Amino acid sequence: MKPKYKYCPHCGRHLTDDSAHGVKLRYCSACKQHFFNNPAPGVAVLAVKDGKILLVKRKLDPMKGTWAMPGGFMDQHETIVQAGLRELKEETGLKAKRGSFFDIATLETIKLGTVLVIAIKAEGTTGVVRAGDDALEAKYFDIKKLPFIGFIGHRKFIKKLVKQGNK
Ligand SMILES: [Zn+2]
């Protein structure tokens, strides 16, 4: 469970517990504002080539040292596809022409609470694979010989991809 906010991000006053909209929320009596604790949307990218899938070894927690699909959190003012293609470029060096919706998963994490992960498929990738940003390594793996993948949601996405005949 994500820790609750103690202070108002606007005025710095102590927040109190309050019930509104059918859920328990934090409330600032000075600003008269409730603070929602919504899940953060993240993106995971499927980059597939000749029956191989591009994975990155994570430099940071959560799941540090395990393999994962390239991805991360959405920034302000970008779409989920833009976020995915930006993360792909940052972590693997590859550029993609397009991205399309693939699947969605909800994960429970200790530090970040619930995370909503949207998987997209990258299409028309170009460039040379090289690990960057928070990836220790970036490598294509034969879809039949995958390493241990840390995130359950990513395993679910890849399983679905394999089931679809990995096209
Ligand atoms: Zn306030």
Side-chain angles (χ1 to χ4, degrees):
M1 184 64 197
K2 195 174 168 181
K4 288 195 283 188
Y5 288 117
K6 262 191 179 166
Y7 303 101
C8 176
H10 304 307
C11 72
R13 278 192 179 77
H14 252 287
L15 297 175
T16 55
D17 282 321
D18 191 39
S19 286
H21 311 281
V23 282
K24 271 188 188 166
L25 299 172
R26 300 297 276 165
Y27 181 71
C28 176
S29 55
C31 299
K32 300 202 185 322
Q33 191 181 342
H34 286 100
F35 292 91
F36 288 82
N37 192 11
N38 301 110
V43 62
V45 183
L46 285 166
V48 185
K49 199 178 178 183
D50 308 323
K52 291 179 176 181
I53 182 166
L54 184 59
L55 297 175
V56 294
K57 196 181 221 176
R58 295 181 55 79
K59 197 192 277 182
L60 306 169
D61 270 325
M63 292 294 172
K64 179 179 167 182
T66 67
W67 291 90
M69 287 160 61
F73 287 99
M74 241 178 124
D75 281 336
Q76 294 289 323
H77 315 298
E78 63 182 0
T79 66
I80 199 76
V81 169
Q82 284 167 347
L85 301 190
R86 172 182 53 73
E87 291 284 353
L88 180 71
K89 178 81 173 51
E90 287 172 6
E91 295 183 353
T92 73
L94 289 193
K95 269 190 183 179
K97 282 200 182 85
R98 292 172 303 280
S100 59
F101 174 77
F102 182 76
D103 201 3
I104 201 158
T106 317
L107 300 183
E108 292 302 324
T109 69
I110 294 163
K111 280 192 183 163
L112 303 167
T114 307
V115 177
L116 178 76
V117 187
I118 296 145
I120 65 160
K121 263 187 107 168
E123 286 148 30
T125 52
T126 53
V128 179
V129 176
R130 49 137 197 85
D133 197 33
D134 50 5
L136 285 171
E137 284 179 62
K139 213 158 98 177
Y140 276 103
F141 285 88
D142 189 318
I143 216 143
K144 289 176 198 132
K145 292 175 205 158
L146 292 176
F148 173 73
I149 293 168
F151 292 124
I152 294 167
H154 291 195
R155 277 183 244 157
K156 181 193 144 188
F157 296 142
I158 294 168
K159 208 171 160 186
K160 181 175 168 179
L161 183 84
V162 172
K163 223 173 169 183
Q164 285 184 352
N166 129 54
K167 284 181 196 105

